[in-house]
Amino acid sequence: MKSPQHLPMTQFPIVDDCLQVGGRAITEIALAVGGTPFYVYDRQSMTRRMAELRAAMPEGLTIKFAIKANPMPAVVQHMASLADGLDVASAGELRVALDTGIDPIKVSFAGPGKMDWELKQAIASGAVLNLESEGEMERAAVIGEALGMQPRAAVRVNPAFELKSSGVKMGGGPKAFGVDSERVPAMLVRLGELGIDFRGFHIYSGSQNLSAESIIEAQNKTIDLSCELAAYAPQPVRVLNIGGGYGIPLFPGDPRLDLAPIGENLERRMAEVAERLDGAQVVIELGRYLVGEAGLYVCEVVDRKPSRGQMFIVTNGGLHQHLAASGNFGQVLRKNFPVVVANKVRGQERELANVVGPLCTPLDILASQMDLAVAQPGDLIAVYQSGAYGFTTSPIAFLSHPPPRQILV
Ligand SMILES: *Cc1c(COP(=O)(O)O)cnc(C)c1O
């Protein structure tokens, strides 16, 4: 049986066997950014991706960018111009979001354990809190009172159902995220008493899902649950944030998510929401789907070394700068991201090789037994699908190497 392959990566053109990003050869970008390793992100890819998504989703759907996927300020600025809002998960991200000049009401702040100073900053700025617990609601009310400002808030609900076949599950069963759906009616009564400006509901079930069927099922259940809970709301529901979870192909055998059936189903359901929750805005929030495929991580070959029948390509980048590609960020069995020799993509000569980093740990692997062009010191290795959860999800201080550079082209 043939082992599964990566889907072809077509987002970056290849000219003279060299990857091009934003119309420039990757070798040129390496010089322009001041050296390797680096992350390069492509504006055009993000713009194209958003246009494709809007074409497949119903008109009137609000699409937010979850900035934790890639909080580089230049990227967030670009995404703010494409998306209908930004979702943040800390006061630090809130600052980056507000620096784009976005209307604060379009910024939602989710995440458990919001600290008092973060709540204060968010309430003072006019962003919308996605309340993760009753305790957080009480603290927000006290802080709002002290500031003389009415907090804006949605209630994040932890549903009783799960997002099936998801890479990361964030709803269903006991969870740190959101308030159990059965507790929400009582919470809404209290929210009304506290005089918080109720915006609506936020239900986020999971991430990195490649099954349209599972996403449709979760969206349907989310809309049903929100309509039930709306009966207890102290004010009309204005925002119905049904989450996201749209995934991108990362590993051999991963398909591309089929958007068409999701769009068709959502169109029907949005018509129903318009009837049942008049005036409620339906929102999805996506991170990796919008920016993940628009980025590459690039490092440089330092050494080639045969060892007992295998070839090791040793680079100046690795696990400390791209934890996910090393297989140590939420994977059970290590699988390869798509990797190429960026300046010899097809290559005259090819070999089966391991690409490793400079760290003193056997976990520092960027590719294991991959078919690659024969790479020599000075050649560039590129890891695709690196525009999300790369730089900021990596233990950059581990082994005290300088951090990777970042560039948006
Ligand atoms: C992480 C997160 C997202 C973004 O997830 P992606 O998998 O990058 O789309 C969106 N919303 C919330 C609440 C999150 O925690």
Side-chain angles (χ1 to χ4, degrees), residues 88 90-99 107 109 118 121-122 125 127:
V88 303
S90 71
E93 288 190 356
L94 177 63
R95 282 258 37 92
V96 174
L98 293 174
D99 281 350
V107 178
F109 182 4
E118 293 185 297
Q121 196 175 317
S125 67

Side-chain angles (χ1 to χ4, degrees), residues 23 54 77 88 100 103 133 168 184 192 247 249 254 331 351 369-370:
R54 288 214 192 266
Q77 185 76 52
V88 303
T100 65
D103 181 350
S133 74
V168 185
V184 170
D254 277 357
Q331 289 186 49
E351 66 185 348
Q369 291 296 286
M370 267 187 102

Side-chain angles (χ1 to χ4, degrees), residues 26 35 44 87 109 119 176 179 242 300 335 344 385 397 401:
I26 203 77
Q44 270 179 8
D87 182 66
F109 182 4
L119 291 172
V179 178
I242 62 172
E300 189 170 330
K335 294 183 214 160
K344 297 177 180 170
Q385 313 301 72
H401 289 284

